[in-house]
Amino acid sequence: MDIEICFIPKRLMYRSMISFTMVCLFVCMSVLWGIVLGSEFPIKEEVKAVPSTNKMISLEEAIHRVVEKNPELQSTRDQVDAAAGIVRQSKLYPNPVLELLADQMPTTEIGMNQSQNLVSVTQPIITGGKRRLGITVSERSKEKNELELDAVLLNVIADTKKAFYKTIGNQEELVIARETENIANGIYKSEKLRFEAGEVAVTNVLRAEVELSKAKNFVSTAEGSLQNSIKELQTVMGVPEETINGVTGKLLTRPVELSLHDLELQMENNQPLLKASKKNIEIAETQLKLEKRLVIPDINVTAGYQRLTAEDVDTVKVGITIPAPFFNRNQGNIQKSKAISRKSKNENLSVYNDLLFQLQRNINSYNVERRRVIEFGDKILPKAKESLELIRKGYKEGEFNYIDLLDAQRTWAETRISYIESLKSLNQFIAEIERLAVTKIGGR
């Protein structure tokens, strides 16, 4: 009994040691296996950093990205590819029809020993030049889709430019807002020190504090407007998930004088929407010709070999099938094509009138903003700045009071903001005119 009591713990100890050793070996093998396979050990999970685009972009970079990423542009490219497939399909000949026929097979015998067996091929032949006209319709439709792709490209580039110019203007407005906040903060501190020295009343400090709060709100509003314009630019570019700090570049400040007559000629010669509309007329007229030709019936030519098993005779079968257009002479489709042809001509005139109206309206607006920008740059801004400097100097020397300084500072900030807004509008009008006339303005 003593011996039993002595050996039982040893066995348990050996079993525990063996179990512990097996567990250690399993863990080590798992780690080594994970290293060999390149997988991560489940105990430790490594968090990988996600790279992000956080930079300032130029107009050229923005246009490059929009051409590459804009979903509307990609969709239109797919439409062009689909049209190319239609052209390819229209050039294919109709397939022949293979016929295998066992006729007059007796019911008493399974097989073709007593039947008439036929092997024939029927080939449809398209007459009247209908195949050529169908190819022409599909080719012109593809050309129209390519012109529409050019029009979409112009649209997205113009939208990119307008969003880009808006972002530049909002960046400059934020700079002005922060300068205004710094000035307002300096005035507030100055008035507070003067009040503590007994030189001014407490109302000056309160007014300065109110102006500082307005300046801070101005900064917050400008920051929000800038973020919205950046998001708008990202959306147009087709990269709303990326992070962009802002844009680099300047707004056009010395606008050139535009000639309406020259821009109208360029629009007539280069505008893809107008060319696509004219292409619609060609498609409609060609389709009308095709519908009229469809009255001419196609021919089915059949050639085959026939075996008369019972008579032990081999024969040849030749046939031609021609539909007789007694009732259906494609009258309805011809009437529809005539109406579509007239409609395409009226639409072409409507497109031209609409484009011309847009061009004239944008040029008129451009000329108004151009005069404003020149007036701001040559007269208003220099005078507003000179007035502010004089009042600042006079305020330090005691010639002007606090109210005069606040009015001058407010006028200077509002004048600069109005100038930036005018520049933004001017540059956006330029982008729209460039889209309509398919040209570059002011060296852009």
Side-chain angles (χ1 to χ4, degrees), residues 344-366:
S344 62
K345 293 176 182 178
N346 290 326
E347 285 180 345
N348 174 253
L349 181 60
S350 176
V351 169
Y352 174 77
N353 290 336
D354 182 60
L355 290 172
L356 183 60
F357 168 72
Q358 291 183 49
L359 182 64
Q360 292 173 343
R361 181 185 61 188
N362 280 279
I363 289 178
N364 290 334
S365 300
Y366 168 85

Side-chain angles (χ1 to χ4, degrees), residues 352-389:
Y352 174 77
N353 290 336
D354 182 60
L355 290 172
L356 183 60
F357 168 72
Q358 291 183 49
L359 182 64
Q360 292 173 343
R361 181 185 61 188
N362 280 279
I363 289 178
N364 290 334
S365 300
Y366 168 85
N367 289 330
V368 172
E369 289 299 333
R370 176 175 176 270
R371 288 191 291 269
R372 287 188 61 191
V373 166
I374 293 175
E375 186 76 12
F376 267 108
D378 294 344
K379 297 180 180 179
I380 299 177
L381 281 175
K383 290 182 179 180
K385 185 176 182 180
E386 182 182 3
S387 175
L388 176 62
E389 294 299 328

Side-chain angles (χ1 to χ4, degrees), residues 210-233:
V210 169
E211 291 297 324
L212 178 58
S213 297
K214 290 181 179 180
K216 290 180 179 179
N217 289 333
F218 184 21
V219 171
S220 298
T221 302
E223 288 175 344
S225 298
L226 177 59
Q227 291 302 316
N228 289 336
S229 61
I230 290 176
K231 288 297 181 184
E232 180 182 351
L233 177 61

Side-chain angles (χ1 to χ4, degrees), residues 65-82:
R65 295 302 299 277
V66 77
V67 171
E68 183 182 75
K69 295 290 186 179
N70 183 269
E72 183 182 3
L73 203 55
Q74 295 293 337
S75 174
T76 312
R77 290 193 184 105
D78 293 336
Q79 184 64 37
V80 173
D81 290 340

Side-chain angles (χ1 to χ4, degrees), residues 254-267:
R254 302 304 299 179
V256 298
E257 187 174 356
L258 301 180
S259 170
L260 176 59
H261 179 264
D262 293 342
L263 291 174
E264 286 180 5
L265 290 177
Q266 292 186 34
M267 184 192 74

Side-chain angles (χ1 to χ4, degrees), residues 53-301:
T53 304
N54 193 1
K55 62 175 184 178
M56 307 281 282
I57 64 171
S58 65
L59 178 59
E60 290 75 16
E61 291 174 326
I63 292 176
H64 176 75
R65 295 302 299 277
V66 77
V67 171
E68 183 182 75
K69 295 290 186 179
N70 183 269
E72 183 182 3
L73 203 55
Q74 295 293 337
S75 174
T76 312
R77 290 193 184 105
D78 293 336
Q79 184 64 37
V80 173
D81 290 340
I86 294 175
V87 173
R88 181 180 180 183
Q89 186 65 31
S90 67
K91 294 180 179 180
L92 301 178
Y93 288 93
N95 292 323
V97 178
L98 177 64
E99 182 181 5
L100 303 175
L101 178 64
D103 194 15
Q104 299 181 9
M105 182 183 298
T107 58
T108 59
E109 181 181 351
I110 300 175
M112 295 185 291
N113 293 330
Q114 299 297 322
S115 63
Q116 297 182 7
N117 306 319
L118 172 66
V119 178
S120 66
V121 176
T122 301
Q123 175 64 52
I125 298 177
I126 302 175
T127 61
K130 295 190 289 291
R131 178 175 173 274
R132 177 180 55 80
L133 289 172
I135 293 174
T136 302
V137 169
S138 60
E139 287 177 342
R140 291 180 178 174
S141 296
K142 177 177 176 290
E143 292 170 0
K144 186 199 75 169
N145 287 325
E146 290 172 344
L147 291 170
E148 290 175 347
L149 173 61
D150 293 338
V152 172
L153 178 60
L154 286 174
N155 288 340
V156 296
I157 288 178
D159 291 341
T160 303
K161 287 181 177 180
K162 287 188 282 188
F164 191 89
Y165 298 149
K166 184 177 180 180
T167 303
I168 292 179
N170 289 342
Q171 286 180 170
E172 296 185 7
E173 289 179 359
L174 179 58
V175 172
I176 296 172
R178 287 172 176 167
E179 289 178 1
T180 303
E181 181 186 12
N182 291 334
I183 294 173
N185 187 44
I187 294 176
Y188 168 71
K189 291 179 180 179
S190 174
E191 291 301 307
K192 190 176 181 180
L193 291 175
R194 294 178 67 185
F195 167 72
E196 292 172 354
E199 298 178 2
V200 297
V202 69
T203 54
N204 283 26
V205 180
L206 295 177
R207 287 176 180 175
E209 189 174 359
V210 169
E211 291 297 324
L212 178 58
S213 297
K214 290 181 179 180
K216 290 180 179 179
N217 289 333
F218 184 21
V219 171
S220 298
T221 302
E223 288 175 344
S225 298
L226 177 59
Q227 291 302 316
N228 289 336
S229 61
I230 290 176
K231 288 297 181 184
E232 180 182 351
L233 177 61
Q234 289 176 280
T235 302
V236 174
M237 290 167 57
V239 288
E241 74 284 352
E242 292 188 5
T243 302
I244 298 176
N245 277 343
V247 298
T248 60
K250 295 182 179 180
L251 296 172
L252 180 65
T253 58
R254 302 304 299 179
V256 298
E257 187 174 356
L258 301 180
S259 170
L260 176 59
H261 179 264
D262 293 342
L263 291 174
E264 286 180 5
L265 290 177
Q266 292 186 34
M267 184 192 74
E268 292 177 7
N269 296 327
N270 302 322
Q271 176 53 240
L273 279 178
L274 198 56
K275 291 181 178 180
S277 179
K278 292 178 180 178
K279 191 63 66 175
N280 264 335
I281 298 176
E282 298 177 12
I283 294 171
E285 291 177 346
T286 307
Q287 184 65 39
L288 177 59
K289 292 180 182 178
L290 177 59
E291 297 296 341
K292 291 179 178 179
R293 296 285 182 87
L294 287 175
V295 180
I296 304 173
D298 295 335
I299 299 174
N300 292 324
V301 178

Side-chain angles (χ1 to χ4, degrees), residues 400-413:
F400 298 103
N401 57 30
Y402 171 70
I403 300 299
D404 295 330
L405 179 60
L406 287 181
D407 288 340
Q409 176 59 39
R410 190 182 300 110
T411 300
W412 170 239

